[in-house]
Each structure stands twice: as C-alpha cells, then as structure tokens.
Amino acid sequence: MKTKNELPECPVATTVSLIGSKWKLLILRNLVKRPWRFNQLMKSIDGISQKVLTTSLRELESDGIIYRKDYKTNPPKVEYGLTDLGSKLNHLLDEMAEFGNYYKNQL
C-alpha cells in the first residue's frame, strides 16, 4: 500500500492514481459483481494482455483494493475479489456507468 506522502494532495488525483487506467477500471467493473478467476478476467476483458492483467491485479492488490485468494490446489486455483476498501468504489463505478449510458443516449 502506498504511504500518504506518496499520494497526490488532491483527493480526485489520488483516486485516479489508484484506479485510473482503462484496464483497472474494467477489472473493477467485473469484480463488483463477484469474485473472478484469472482466466475468466482475461477472457472477459477484450484486448488486455496477460502481462497487463497480471500487473494491474498486483497493483490493485498492493493498494488494498482487491484481494487474491490462493486455494493451494493442483491445478492452481486463484480468485480475485474486492476488499472492503475496494467495495467503496461500487457507487463510483455505478455513477460512471450511468454517465456513460447517458452520454451515449445524447449522441
């Protein structure tokens, strides 16, 4: 997790620094619904590479937004979901979806 000194002073910039990439937002869009396995996320996000998905998941986990649950089975089973902190983003993501739909309807 980042320290307070590593984050921007502006709260909006702080949020953008945590979830502002296209890929992180799409990952979070899925995880709002339920926990997902890596391959499920990979298939559901068109155009994302394995490397970018791995990096984005690690960053979100490091920032305390998502958790990674390793079932320690063979073959490996790992699941990703939102932490309590990450669940606080649900309202923000809903608002973004609502605006996106509104914007499309205006065109």
Side-chain angles (χ1 to χ4, degrees):
M1 212 175 248
K2 292 179 175 90
T3 65
K4 218 176 194 177
N5 293 335
E6 293 174 305
L7 295 170
E9 192 171 319
C10 171
V12 173
T14 296
T15 303
V16 169
S17 75
L18 294 171
I19 65 165
S21 80
K22 166 186 171 180
W23 302 116
K24 285 182 182 179
L25 286 170
L26 294 176
I27 291 166
L28 292 170
R29 171 204 65 192
N30 288 0
L31 295 180
V32 162
K33 298 173 191 164
R34 62 176 172 81
W36 291 63
R37 294 182 63 184
F38 184 89
N39 285 335
Q40 292 173 319
L41 286 168
M42 186 80 191
K43 290 175 187 171
S44 71
I45 303 172
D46 192 37
I48 194 167
S49 70
Q50 183 173 344
K51 181 180 189 262
V52 170
L53 178 57
T54 299
T55 300
S56 297
L57 288 168
R58 285 182 183 157
E59 289 173 358
L60 288 166
E61 183 183 13
S62 172
D63 291 332
I65 306 296
I66 67 168
Y67 67 84
R68 178 182 187 272
K69 183 174 182 181
D70 186 347
Y71 287 89
K72 307 232 187 273
T73 60
N74 195 5
K77 179 182 177 186
V78 176
E79 189 174 81
Y80 296 90
L82 292 178
T83 61
D84 289 341
L85 178 63
S87 293
K88 298 287 186 188
L89 294 167
N90 290 355
H91 179 69
L92 175 65
L93 295 169
D94 288 343
E95 290 291 322
M96 290 176 76
E98 186 177 319
F99 178 79
N101 286 327
Y102 172 79
Y103 184 80
K104 284 187 210 176
N105 289 331
Q106 296 303 306
L107 298 178

